[in-house]
Amino acid sequence: MTIRAGSLDRRTLLRGAIATAAMGSFAVACGSPSSKDNGDGGGGPKGTKGAKNPFGVAANSKVDAAIFNGGYGTDYVDYVNQVLGKQIKGAKVVVKPVVDIAPELQPRFVGGNPPDLIDNSGEDQIGFLGILDQLEELDDVLEANNYEGKKIADTVYPGVKDPGTFKDKFVALNYVMTVYGVWYSKTLFEANGWTPPKTWNEALDLGAKAKKKGKYLFVHGKEAATYYRTLLIDSAIKEGGDEVRLALENLEKGCWSHPAIQGVIKVMETMVKEKMFVPGGSGTQFQKAQAIWSNDEKALLYPSGGWIENEMKKATKADFQMTGFPSMTLTDKPKMPYESLRAAAGEPFIVPKQGKNPAGGKEVLRAMLSKDAAANFSKTKLAPTIVKGTVPADGYGSSALVSQTKMLEAAGTNIFTYNFVEAYGMNTDQLVPWNSFLSGDLDAKGLTSALQKISDKVREDDSVDKIKVS
């Protein structure tokens, strides 16, 4: 298969900091249980299709939803019940929060009784290629009208199908517009006269200033050490352009040895040697590590997606004024402008064919794409959805949400993407060398070798279906 990724208009990106699954073995384990499909989109009770009920959901039916309980929580899906019943009498979504998606849901796929709707996100995300044939295609969701009577495809950002399309099948609706960058306390920076670094050398200088104040430049947690992989790749793509992105996406030999990648890794290595990372990160739970930054202010910077403010809202110092900026470039003359940004739809929702009520699963997605539900998400989670026009100029009082909007505006068409980590389920394997590297137990050469071996293993495994990116 060939897919194209990398433009603003297509917004082809999966949330890439924390996602994993062993696709090959999972696909074999899941198999293909006997279908309950009755020729009308799956099994379960049926209602009469109409303008208000495009999928034919039965009245008073329940929708079993397994929702990843991560940075955004799960209550935004519970909120759907406030609008769902207005369209389908008595219909209700029953939300089960799940942290370990693959381990918990694999038995249900194997048994032929998966949930009707799954937020396939988190560290233990299910590899999409491994269950592709067991998922409903979701084109009809975007073709349906929303609860305000407008065609959904006309109310969302362009290209929202792309990050959830595999082998030409649109099977995952990515709900949240995620902006990736580096985050800091505007209050702390203004108090010390610091400015966000635009290059890695400027970041080194800032790290030296931090040390003089008894602080560190960065912090990491064991489950999120690969956030620094994301920062590395984002910076390297900005520095070296599409050749870096395509080499990684296509698992090319020596892809991790590209000069742009090596340049950033070597600066990171210097930062580790200069003790600019809070010590003990590889033994610290990631949210506790993040609190060292957001609440204790012992670290100045933290790389993450836009979910970080909501995830840490109970552990953020008062008047922190969390603000984001684009990833640093290696030099002051990168191939892409400094303002270039990784940003796209994340939080992929899937509807298994074998669920008892797949029509209900699609209806919950339609409800989530209503203006009411989308605005509620942005207001309560401080992040934009794929639904346009639901975030006011003041960002509901969120400095992080305002900065995301400003970053998107400044980036213009210079927005890029990649999804090889999610597509091939690499994150778990990559966590090991990244934790070692950030702790100072592995040097730049060792990190490069380890990452290349992981890519090579997937490339040379004939049992894994490859995605050609151009």
Side-chain angles (χ1 to χ4, degrees):
M1 172 193 174
T2 298
I3 61 175
R4 178 167 181 80
S7 70
L8 169 66
D9 289 339
R10 294 180 70 81
R11 295 187 186 274
T12 50
L13 178 57
L14 292 179
R15 176 173 169 179
I18 42 175
T20 182
M23 295 180 303
S25 61
F26 189 74
V28 174
C30 288
S32 197
S34 60
S35 176
K36 298 178 183 177
D37 194 344
N38 62 5
D40 192 23
K46 296 295 176 183
T48 303
K49 289 186 177 182
K52 284 192 173 184
N53 191 3
F55 311 119
V57 180
N60 302 310
S61 63
K62 299 287 193 296
V63 181
D64 176 15
I67 307 301
F68 174 62
N69 191 13
Y72 298 126
T74 64
D75 58 301
Y76 68 97
V77 183
D78 286 301
Y79 181 85
V80 165
N81 283 316
Q82 297 191 33
V83 295
L84 182 62
K86 297 177 182 178
Q87 295 283 312
I88 313 296
K89 182 179 179 181
K92 182 179 181 181
V93 57
V94 179
V95 175
K96 179 181 180 181
V98 180
V99 174
D100 304 315
I101 295 291
E104 185 160 339
L105 298 183
Q106 179 172 349
R108 295 189 62 176
F109 270 96
V110 174
N113 65 332
D116 304 313
L117 181 68
I118 300 171
D119 174 17
N120 185 30
S121 189
E123 182 181 351
D124 286 306
Q125 176 193 59
I126 303 170
F128 290 96
L129 296 181
I131 55 171
L132 184 60
D133 293 338
Q134 300 181 59
L135 301 178
E136 289 278 341
E137 294 187 42
L138 303 177
D139 303 83
D140 53 351
V141 174
L142 295 187
E143 290 302 309
N145 284 347
N146 65 11
Y147 284 11
E148 292 76 43
K150 296 181 180 180
K151 185 178 178 181
I152 291 175
D154 295 333
T155 68
V156 298
Y157 287 104
V160 296
K161 284 187 177 182
D162 297 329
T165 298
F166 302 90
K167 299 181 73 173
D168 298 324
K169 293 182 178 181
F170 172 46
V171 297
L173 180 73
N174 288 265
Y175 185 63
V176 185
M177 282 302 298
T178 302
V179 173
Y180 293 86
V182 185
W183 304 84
Y184 70 103
S185 165
K186 184 178 180 181
T187 305
L188 178 65
F189 270 53
E190 289 181 346
N192 288 276
W194 297 328
T195 56
K198 291 187 175 182
T199 67
W200 279 91
N201 281 335
E202 289 180 8
L204 266 174
D205 292 340
L206 180 60
K209 293 175 182 177
K211 289 178 69 175
K212 291 180 180 179
K213 293 283 186 177
K215 297 181 182 295
Y216 299 87
L217 183 63
F218 286 121
V219 63
H220 84 281
K222 59 183 178 180
E223 301 93 344
T226 44
Y227 282 20
Y228 288 88
R229 173 210 62 216
T230 301
L231 178 58
L232 162 67
I233 295 175
D234 294 357
S235 291
I237 288 174
K238 289 168 66 168
E239 187 66 33
D242 263 359
E243 65 182 64
V244 177
R245 176 179 63 83
L246 293 175
L248 292 170
E249 287 273 67
N250 292 314
L251 310 174
E252 293 179 7
K253 294 181 179 180
C255 58
W256 291 98
S257 295
H258 190 283
I261 292 177
Q262 286 301 299
V264 177
I265 288 180
K266 288 175 182 177
V267 178
M268 284 185 172
E269 182 181 46
T270 298
M271 290 175 170
V272 173
K273 290 180 178 178
E274 293 293 325
K275 301 188 184 304
M276 293 183 180
F277 280 77
V278 175
S282 296
T284 305
Q285 193 270 343
F286 80 101
Q287 289 179 328
K288 292 182 179 178
Q290 290 170 181
I292 292 173
W293 160 71
S294 63
N295 192 64
D296 303 343
E297 294 188 333
K298 289 183 179 180
L300 271 56
L301 305 175
Y302 192 70
S304 179
W307 63 82
I308 186 67
E309 183 181 31
N310 183 69
E311 185 172 68
M312 300 308 295
K313 62 184 178 182
K314 294 182 179 180
T316 298
K317 186 176 180 179
D319 197 33
F320 190 81
Q321 293 189 44
M322 192 179 295
T323 306
F325 65 92
S327 58
M328 296 82 73
T329 59
L330 187 60
T331 68
D332 57 3
K333 294 182 180 179
K335 287 190 176 180
M336 298 182 72
Y338 160 74
E339 292 80 10
S340 302
L341 197 65
R342 182 188 182 193
E347 294 301 319
F349 282 77
I350 58 177
V351 177
K353 291 180 180 179
Q354 303 298 320
K356 293 181 179 179
N357 191 5
K362 291 184 177 182
E363 184 62 32
V364 171
L365 290 178
R366 189 168 79 102
M368 289 170 61
L369 294 168
S370 68
K371 187 175 181 179
D372 187 352
N376 172 74
F377 181 93
S378 294
K379 183 177 182 179
T380 58
K381 306 306 176 185
L382 307 178
T385 70
I386 60 174
V387 181
K388 298 181 291 187
T390 56
V391 178
D394 67 355
Y396 298 109
S398 162
S399 58
L401 189 51
V402 169
S403 69
Q404 290 178 67
T405 302
K406 289 182 177 179
M407 283 192 281
L408 286 167
E409 292 175 349
T413 58
N414 292 304
I415 291 180
F416 58 89
T417 184
Y418 51 91
N419 65 5
F420 71 103
V421 174
E422 295 84 0
Y424 300 114
M426 293 180 171
N427 195 70
T428 296
D429 289 341
Q430 290 182 352
L431 274 170
V432 177
W434 272 104
N435 270 298
S436 295
F437 175 71
L438 297 177
S439 297
D441 297 327
L442 190 67
D443 61 10
K445 183 178 180 180
L447 175 64
T448 302
S449 177
L451 295 175
Q452 190 63 57
K453 285 180 180 178
I454 294 169
S455 290
D456 290 347
K457 181 180 179 181
V458 176
R459 185 187 66 250
E460 295 168 5
D461 188 344
D462 293 336
S463 69
V464 177
D465 194 8
K466 310 301 190 302
I467 302 174
K468 178 67 177 176
V469 183
S470 61

